[in-house]
Amino acid sequence: MTIKIAIAGIGNCASALIQGIHYYKDADENSQIPGLMHVKFGEYHISDIEPVAAFDVNKNKIGKDLSEAIFTEPNCCYKFTIPPKLGVKVLPAPTLDSVAPHMKEPFKAYNNSAPTNVSQILKETNADMLINFLPVGSYKATRYYAQACLDAKVAFINCIPEFIASDPTWAGKFEENGIPIAGDDIKSQIGATIIHRAITSLLIERGVKIEETYQLNVGGNTDFQNMMDNRRLSTKRISKTEAITSLIPYKTQAWAGPNGFIPFLKDKKICYLQIKGRKFGGAPVTIDLKLTVEDSPNSAGMVIDVIRAVKIALDRKIAGPLISISAYAFKHPPQQVPDHIAKQWVEEFIQGKRSR
């Protein structure tokens, strides 16, 4: 029943995930547990998830047990538990384009002379899947890990806005090789995109004509520091904006994306959201909203479900992009649908009523 996971990028999102696996290991599957969408997902409990490999470029994390590395600077994730030693050492990752020039010092990037053969490690550890938590803008590095998964016959969960699961060519490679893939760009459990989508859907259903909308985000973790380089943001803005416009059945002015790095916010993320439209009689309506969250735990709640959905796909020998869980858990999935439909699809997938 064990689900063996490998992780690329031991930053704040990885920290929240590893903490969560320990924090919820004894969660009662018959109770409503705060913070979880599913205590048990099909046959799988959170306690069934076991990390077996980890990769990073930070010389202060490399060689440490994963349980220690998740609390190593510049990580600043909200600490809600301290996991025991996991017996998994962080291995030196190939850098490629995962470190922007201005991030070499914050990431404490090592001399990349002898990176790990990721595909080989995935085989040796019998990993079921690899989770991509690399920094935004890691175009080449994401494709390196995707190819490593193909070579090792390991499933791939793409949590960043590089388009792999939603790219027909890459999706086709995974299908041809008999391997499932989920992505792209993980949604938060309760974050800017899901709130924006919920309000947008409500207005559309109530007959409001949306004329313009924007979503601005600031934060203080390395994700926001990395995104100070605008050259790394094109797919991020596409992913966040299309997550909103895909729900609007006509053209409108829309913009969503990261907007600033404020160091003292640490892992706190603040979203400012506005929607302007016209209601009955053409009367104007404006919604302004501010949302404040701890950023990294927000993604971990979704990834916990994605891991178990991918394991079910492996058990059922399902190959290629997983449509249901991707629509539910990612901003730029292969197929965009309203969130209530995606949620229904996931429940039907668990029950075996949907093949993907």
Side-chain angles (χ1 to χ4, degrees), residues 199 203 206-212 274-280 282-288:
I199 297 173
L203 294 178
R206 305 297 287 184
V208 175
K209 176 70 180 293
I210 296 175
E211 296 183 329
E212 61 183 59
Q274 184 180 92
I275 305 178
K276 287 186 176 182
R278 297 279 172 179
K279 55 189 180 69
F280 194 80
V285 58
T286 299
I287 295 176
D288 285 294

Side-chain angles (χ1 to χ4, degrees), residues 165-289:
S166 57
D167 178 86
T169 300
W170 276 100
K173 291 180 181 180
F174 277 85
E175 187 150 14
E176 289 165 12
N177 282 272
I179 307 166
I181 178 172
D184 301 302
D185 195 9
I186 196 73
K187 287 177 185 170
S188 291
Q189 185 176 14
I190 296 295
T193 297
I194 196 69
I195 295 294
H196 202 160
R197 282 172 61 93
I199 297 173
T200 297
S201 293
L202 175 65
L203 294 178
I204 296 295
E205 289 170 4
R206 305 297 287 184
V208 175
K209 176 70 180 293
I210 296 175
E211 296 183 329
E212 61 183 59
T213 184
Y214 66 75
Q215 179 198 126
L216 311 178
N217 298 279
V218 296
N221 58 26
T222 48
D223 188 31
F224 281 91
Q225 187 176 10
N226 170 64
M227 291 187 292
M228 290 176 69
D229 184 345
N230 276 312
R231 293 170 297 180
R232 301 176 73 85
L233 289 182
S234 59
T235 53
K236 183 67 174 178
R237 288 179 176 145
I238 291 170
S239 177
K240 287 182 75 67
T241 302
E242 286 188 359
I244 308 307
T245 57
S246 65
L247 300 175
I248 304 173
Y250 45 81
K251 288 188 176 181
T252 192
Q253 296 187 93
W255 196 97
N259 302 91
F261 169 61
I262 304 174
F264 63 77
L265 289 179
K266 296 188 180 297
D267 201 33
K268 193 180 295 327
K269 175 179 176 179
I270 300 173
C271 162
Y272 296 95
L273 183 160
Q274 184 180 92
I275 305 178
K276 287 186 176 182
R278 297 279 172 179
K279 55 189 180 69
F280 194 80
V285 58
T286 299
I287 295 176
D288 285 294
L289 179 147

Side-chain angles (χ1 to χ4, degrees), residues 2 11 16 33 44-45 63 73 105 118 124 129 172 183 188 190 198 205 217 243 264 277 279 307 321 329:
T2 301
I33 304 296
Y44 294 102
H45 191 276
E73 292 184 352
E105 174 55 29
V118 172
E124 290 175 358
M129 62 197 72
S188 291
I190 296 295
E205 289 170 4
N217 298 279
F264 63 77
K279 55 189 180 69
I307 289 169

